[in-house]
Amino acid sequence: MKEDMKFLRHLWKQGTILNYPLSLQLLNCSSRLCALKEAKANQFHSMTTAISLDVSLRENVKQMWDNSVGMAKGRDLFAEMSKWNVVSWTSMISKNAKGGFTDRALECFSQMQRVGVEPNEMTFSTMVGICRALRNIGYGMSLHCLILKKGFSCHSFIASGLISMYSKHDCVNEAWVVFNETPERDAVLWNSMIVGYAQNNLNGEAISLFSMMLLKDQEGIFSVNSFIITSVLKACGGVNCIRIGKSVHNYAIKLNYSSDVFVAVSIIDMYSRFGSVDRARHIFNQMGKRDLVAWNSMISGYAQNCYSTEAIELFYQLQSENFLPDESTFTSVLKALAVAANSVLGRFFHAKIIKGGYLLDVFVGTALMDMYSKCLDIEDAERAFKEMQRKNLVSFNALIMGYSPFGRYKEAIETYIDLLRENMRPDAFTLSALLSSCSELGALLEGTEVHAHSIKFGLDSNASVGNSLVGLYCKCNLTDNALKAFESVTTPNTMSWAGIISGFALNGEGENALKYFDKMLLSEKPNEFSLSSILKVLASWAATEHGRHMHAYVIKVGLESDIFVGSSLVDMYSKCGMIEDSSKVFTSMPKKNVISWNSMIMGYAQNGFSQKALCLFGEMKKLGATPTSVTFIGILLACSYAGLVSKGRHFFNMMVSDYRILPSVEHCTCMVDLLGRAGHLDEAETFLLNSQFSSEPSIWKSLLAACRVHRNSDIAIRVAEHCLHLEPHDSSTYVLLSNIYASKCLWAEVERIRILMREVGVEKEPGCSWIDIRNSMYVFISDDRFHSANEEIVTTLKTLIVQSKNASFSSMLGEFRL
DNA sequence: ATAGGGTTAG
């Protein structure tokens, strides 16, 4: 400041007349008031001109002239000011806005109108630019009104600014109205609208607008420039269609824009988004001149596509070519380490970032937190969060998201409350992250409260929030609530549909799953998830015909090579008993994962092809796939059906000791079943009592069934009484126990069971089975008179009964009959 | 005076 004054004094003494920009520059420091005093003593006209531009000092200047030189000078100044005011006011507004003094810029604008100076097209253009940066669109809208009133809306550069302003504030419709009502459209106007669409994620619209532009451009009124190419490339990156992207790329080459750094960076970014890192790298390599942004975009491309080694390599290469990494570079590097969950290198870069002083940046800080939370190191993520100087909504969201894999909804909600205390407004990310924390452990109460908040903030119509709500409610078996949440979503996406369909499928509401699948087809294409869910439903129904149709449909939509769909098809066919079709699908799958292997092994096991199941298990291990808990269910099932007792014991031990898999209810049921079927009833009972599931009724019932087969009434009585103790309302156990006592002529016990049954109020649940013929379901309930079936089925059934009696199967059915 | 590239979250 002192230096400035010295310099000024020097100039004054020399009698130099300062020109306008120089004096303004000199005055643009806090020494202005001192300068005023000096100016009072020295009469430098240019000086006062510069000062008079500053609205806040204008009055002071006038007063100064009034006091020192006399009223006349002051009046002169004022008159002069009004003479060149439009330009000076406008540049004053612009200066203030650029210096970050938005309030003063707005004040200038109203003051100039108050003193009767009419804004011109430059003033309005500047003002529109300011309104674009404002938090609120209200001021911008009233400015738009003024522009319309004063008749400035026909200027295409003002219209461009308005389009940009509206689209920045998510008002694409308003932007479109401005675009549509501007008769003379130049390249900038088209570009503003294209960018506006792209910014609001309406990439398809942006691309269509571009093609519309090309059609109109035949008259040669304007031409596509490199700005437009970059914008369109950006939009291409947002649609899942590499074909369009490639043709725009070719078009850019044709127009000779491939050497433009901006264009090249957009192409790199676009290909990275498509997952074509190699193409992106090719463009990067071919660039004649690269700036830091180009390096950053390539590093980011690698990070996005999980090529973390390449990203790090590029970081070092960048340094060796004497570029100084910036915040963006570090952000991308951290992302690369986050996707690789490499906290060792992550810490190394953390240190580097601290040393370089990059930690003040919100992006870097947030990326650092995210890196730690992706490494499941929530404590360090919390620490990084606490150490951040400036936090924004994204930083809060990142922490809340960090909690969700652990289901730590309490901490997530606490962070959310902090966010509200900071006067921030949650967005869809915040709420859906909170909801996924809640659904992890089924925290329904807290989840419902978050639901209330999402309604309060108008975010329940958002697809991500809606999807999370559907997830939470489905997890808690509340499909009605899930459906309500789903229906609040304005534009459900493919995943939304998949969510509600799978929710129905998992909660045993197959009819609803199918209903919503059909509804979805009216507006959305099915994806691998919705198809898998539907196949699961059809598998559970053993709906053969429908399943075949769905398989044909899968082929039609081109998802037959998908790993999830393929596995579901394998499962569906094997549940329908069509093991050949199942194995055909399995063999033709181009890619298999552990789920596919599991489906096929389970399919073989369930259909009694134990040997094939075990062979497949061997093959799976040979190909390097690691068996999971589900694999062993299939294997133990296969052993159980084939009576391979020692193999079963062997695989069970292998699972526990080699693969460190904790035995689940299913595994224990299989083991008890295996031992029981083979007649090792004592061993089965001991196994069960020693297992974690000794109070699980279903396993005891499977042991009871084994006792029945082996006609061991002593153990059977013990086991059945235990079953009654665990499940006093299960009618089948009463019936069975009663039968056993009856077979041993223990009539008093039979009577006791009968009384007990009446006391507890148990009624026998009717047995039920069904078959699916030509897409129709025929349900049979025991003891009914076949009223629901057709003639053909009734006749066939009667024949079957006679045949089975002749084959003396009836003797087997007669055991323990009441 | 209006328009274009890379950076954080699922």
Side-chain angles (χ1 to χ4, degrees):
Chain A
M1 186 162 60
K2 273 193 175 154
E3 291 305 308
D4 286 342
M5 284 312 300
K6 248 191 192 163
F7 183 55
L8 266 176
R9 240 176 258 129
H10 171 72
L11 291 173
W12 286 331
K13 274 194 190 126
Q14 290 201 329
T16 315
I17 304 294
L18 294 181
N19 62 11
Y20 164 65
L22 182 60
S23 48
L24 199 71
Q25 200 184 337
L26 285 166
L27 286 167
N28 203 16
C29 61
S30 48
S31 61
R32 275 176 298 194
L33 277 171
C34 307
L36 268 174
K37 277 187 200 154
E38 298 275 345
K40 202 167 148 184
N42 308 276
Q43 295 184 20
F44 287 112
H45 183 73
S46 62
M47 198 69 221
T48 59
T49 306
I51 292 166
S52 67
L53 289 176
D54 189 321
V55 182
S56 63
L57 295 180
R58 185 172 49 103
E59 287 305 313
N60 292 0
V61 177
K62 200 161 101 42
Q63 263 172 32
M64 176 191 78
W65 285 114
D66 287 351
N67 296 340
S68 62
V69 191
M71 296 292 278
K73 207 66 175 188
R75 269 198 302 274
D76 280 356
L77 173 68
F78 193 77
E80 202 177 344
M81 272 168 60
S82 20
K83 227 162 65 192
W84 41 256
N85 248 341
V86 196
V87 180
S88 59
W89 279 108
T90 305
S91 59
M92 204 53 237
I93 291 169
S94 157
K95 269 264 163 342
N96 275 326
K98 275 186 190 144
F101 306 107
T102 313
D103 288 349
R104 270 169 63 178
L106 298 186
E107 181 52 30
C108 277
F109 182 63
S110 48
Q111 225 170 341
M112 80 179 274
Q113 286 168 282
R114 237 179 287 141
V115 296
V117 178
E118 279 292 315
N120 67 7
E121 65 274 15
M122 284 186 210
T123 324
F124 279 123
S125 188
T126 313
M127 284 309 295
V128 171
I130 292 169
C131 290
R132 190 169 77 138
L134 287 181
R135 215 157 52 93
N136 192 308
I137 187 67
Y139 196 96
M141 282 183 160
S142 48
L143 182 73
H144 187 187
C145 290
L146 193 64
I147 288 168
L148 288 169
K149 201 174 125 192
K150 303 261 181 190
F152 283 98
S153 57
C154 54
H155 291 89
S156 71
F157 55 85
I158 292 179
S160 298
L162 284 170
I163 291 169
S164 181
M165 175 190 85
Y166 278 125
S167 35
K168 266 256 162 69
H169 287 93
D170 305 327
C171 305
V172 206
N173 293 334
E174 284 79 0
W176 172 250
V177 170
V178 175
F179 178 82
N180 226 10
E181 288 177 353
T182 309
E184 290 194 14
R185 296 170 185 168
D186 59 7
V188 180
L189 192 88
W190 282 95
N191 193 35
S192 299
M193 198 59 230
I194 293 172
V195 171
Y197 274 138
Q199 271 173 353
N200 285 275
N201 212 16
L202 297 166
N203 298 301
E205 281 81 353
I207 295 166
S208 326
L209 197 65
F210 174 63
S211 51
M212 203 168 118
M213 181 184 177
L214 291 181
L215 282 177
K216 297 215 167 163
D217 200 24
Q218 285 168 350
E219 297 153 42
I221 301 166
F222 43 76
S223 54
V224 177
N225 61 23
S226 64
F227 282 70
I228 291 171
I229 291 293
T230 27
S231 315
V232 176
L233 283 166
K234 194 174 183 155
C236 289
V239 292
N240 194 18
C241 180
I242 194 164
R243 198 175 49 83
I244 298 174
K246 271 187 187 165
S247 61
V248 177
H249 179 192
N250 286 331
Y251 192 62
I253 295 170
K254 198 178 129 192
L255 296 180
N256 233 350
Y257 289 132
S258 35
S259 56
D260 185 305
V261 189
F262 279 67
V263 171
V265 167
S266 301
I267 293 171
I268 290 173
D269 190 47
M270 180 188 75
Y271 281 130
S272 301
R273 272 175 216 281
F274 287 141
S276 308
V277 202
D278 293 342
R279 273 207 187 84
R281 183 60 197 253
H282 181 68
I283 302 293
F284 179 78
N285 287 344
Q286 286 198 322
M287 283 177 80
K289 243 187 173 180
R290 298 184 198 116
D291 60 6
L292 185 61
V293 177
W295 284 89
N296 288 350
S297 73
M298 196 59 235
I299 294 176
S300 155
Y302 278 134
Q304 278 170 52
N305 289 284
C306 308
Y307 288 75
S308 51
T309 318
E310 286 80 355
I312 306 295
E313 260 175 32
L314 222 55
F315 173 82
Y316 284 110
Q317 211 176 318
L318 166 158
Q319 284 188 316
S320 69
E321 297 200 12
N322 290 327
F323 279 100
L324 193 69
D326 68 355
E327 283 78 7
S328 178
T329 323
F330 281 110
T331 307
S332 295
V333 167
L334 285 172
K335 193 194 169 87
L337 296 170
V339 294
N342 186 342
S343 64
V344 177
L345 254 187
R347 272 173 223 286
F348 173 74
F349 271 94
H350 187 174
K352 237 178 160 43
I353 285 164
I354 293 174
K355 240 170 94 183
Y358 294 99
L359 207 51
L360 291 174
D361 185 79
V362 191
F363 279 66
V364 174
T366 308
L368 193 64
M369 280 172 59
D370 184 51
M371 186 272 295
Y372 282 124
S373 69
K374 289 272 161 59
C375 296
L376 298 179
D377 185 348
I378 190 72
E379 280 73 30
D380 278 321
E382 280 172 335
R383 199 171 306 146
F385 180 75
K386 280 197 193 108
E387 284 169 7
M388 282 174 76
Q389 304 277 325
R390 274 186 56 228
K391 294 165 191 151
N392 62 14
L393 183 61
V394 183
S395 336
F396 275 92
N397 287 352
L399 183 61
I400 293 173
M401 282 166 196
Y403 288 124
S404 59
F406 303 97
R408 284 167 65 167
Y409 58 88
K410 288 206 176 92
E411 284 99 329
I413 291 174
E414 275 166 25
T415 312
Y416 173 63
I417 293 169
D418 286 343
L419 175 158
L420 294 178
R421 280 207 194 102
E422 299 268 333
N423 283 326
M424 289 185 192
R425 243 183 109 88
D427 65 359
F429 287 113
T430 324
L431 293 169
S432 66
L434 279 174
L435 288 165
S436 52
S437 281
C438 293
S439 25
E440 197 64 40
L441 299 177
L444 183 60
L445 204 70
E446 288 79 1
T448 311
E449 257 180 80
V450 179
H451 188 178
H453 271 242
S454 52
I455 295 169
K456 182 179 154 191
F457 288 106
L459 289 165
D460 58 322
S461 56
N462 175 281
S464 303
V465 175
N467 296 352
S468 305
L469 280 167
V470 169
L472 169 78
Y473 287 127
C474 286
K475 174 120 186 189
C476 300
N477 302 319
L478 294 168
T479 42
D480 286 351
N481 292 28
L483 191 55
K484 268 180 211 149
F486 172 79
E487 279 170 350
S488 308
V489 175
T490 10
T491 42
N493 52 35
T494 325
M495 284 294 177
S496 315
W497 287 100
I500 192 75
I501 291 167
S502 104
F504 281 133
L506 290 174
N507 282 292
E509 296 182 32
E511 291 87 355
N512 273 331
L514 272 176
K515 186 176 146 193
Y516 277 83
F517 185 76
D518 287 339
K519 266 195 182 182
M520 173 188 75
L521 296 184
L522 299 175
S523 56
E524 295 270 354
K525 267 169 71 179
N527 65 2
E528 60 273 33
F529 300 107
S530 50
L531 276 170
S532 297
S533 296
I534 288 302
L535 288 168
K536 193 176 291 194
V537 168
L538 299 177
S540 75
W541 286 348
T544 316
E545 288 291 316
H546 206 146
R548 275 204 184 287
H549 288 161
M550 203 48 80
H551 187 182
Y553 186 68
V554 163
I555 294 169
K556 194 182 147 195
V557 294
L559 282 169
E560 79 270 31
S561 307
D562 182 83
I563 205 156
F564 289 97
V565 176
S567 306
S568 302
L569 280 168
V570 169
D571 189 50
M572 187 270 294
Y573 278 124
S574 64
K575 290 257 166 58
C576 292
M578 302 161 80
I579 199 71
E580 290 87 1
D581 297 78
S582 183
S583 118
K584 220 182 272 175
V585 173
F586 180 75
T587 323
S588 66
M589 280 173 74
K591 264 190 181 171
K592 297 180 179 76
N593 66 5
V594 70
I595 296 172
S596 339
W597 289 99
N598 288 353
S599 304
M600 195 65 240
I601 290 174
M602 195 63 102
Y604 278 137
Q606 281 171 335
N607 284 278
F609 296 94
S610 301
Q611 215 48 55
K612 286 196 171 174
L614 295 182
C615 280
L616 210 61
F617 179 63
E619 209 177 311
M620 167 186 177
K621 284 202 295 181
K622 217 192 292 167
L623 287 171
T626 313
T628 63
S629 172
V630 179
T631 321
F632 283 100
I633 297 175
I635 291 305
L636 294 175
L637 204 64
C639 292
S640 169
Y641 285 172
L644 304 167
V645 182
S646 56
K647 271 202 173 150
R649 288 194 196 106
H650 164 72
F651 285 125
F652 188 86
N653 291 335
M654 176 198 274
M655 171 179 93
V656 177
S657 46
D658 295 359
Y659 292 99
R660 308 255 164 232
I661 295 170
L662 232 59
S664 68
V665 193
E666 288 85 0
H667 297 118
C668 291
T669 312
C670 282
M671 277 311 282
V672 169
D673 211 43
L674 166 71
L675 295 168
R677 272 167 192 268
H680 303 275
L681 297 171
D682 287 313
E683 190 187 341
E685 194 186 8
T686 318
F687 178 90
L688 179 50
L689 284 170
N690 287 333
S691 79
Q692 274 198 318
F693 306 99
S694 51
S695 54
E696 202 57 53
S698 64
I699 316 186
W700 284 102
K701 272 156 84 178
S702 116
L703 182 57
L704 186 58
C707 294
R708 199 177 125 182
V709 172
H710 290 281
R711 295 168 182 256
N712 187 328
S713 46
D714 292 339
I715 299 183
I717 290 170
R718 200 161 63 224
V719 172
E721 294 284 2
H722 197 77
C723 285
L724 277 195
H725 172 68
L726 292 171
E727 246 185 6
H729 286 276
D730 187 64
S731 62
S732 64
T733 319
Y734 287 96
V735 176
L736 207 80
L737 191 57
S738 171
N739 285 349
I740 301 170
Y741 285 134
S743 73
K744 301 196 85 176
C745 300
L746 296 167
W747 305 114
E749 291 298 318
V750 174
E751 192 53 26
R752 181 177 67 88
I753 297 299
R754 205 168 275 176
I755 291 165
L756 197 64
M757 207 169 159
R758 207 170 301 140
E759 273 174 9
V760 184
V762 180
E763 276 190 27
K764 192 177 178 294
E765 281 172 33
C768 174
S769 65
W770 64 89
I771 54 169
D772 172 36
I773 303 169
R774 285 183 291 275
N775 239 357
S776 293
M777 207 74 90
Y778 295 93
V779 180
F780 303 91
I781 296 167
S782 64
D783 283 338
D784 75 358
R785 292 295 135 213
F786 307 137
H787 51 78
S788 61
N790 67 16
E791 272 308 308
E792 201 185 337
I793 296 175
V794 174
T795 321
T796 315
L797 260 177
K798 280 179 180 160
T799 321
L800 278 171
I801 291 167
V802 173
Q803 279 179 357
S804 66
K805 272 191 179 151
N806 290 345
S808 67
F809 280 138
S810 56
S811 63
M812 277 177 69
L813 301 168
E815 302 155 35
F816 303 136
R817 177 163 284 173
L818 190 65

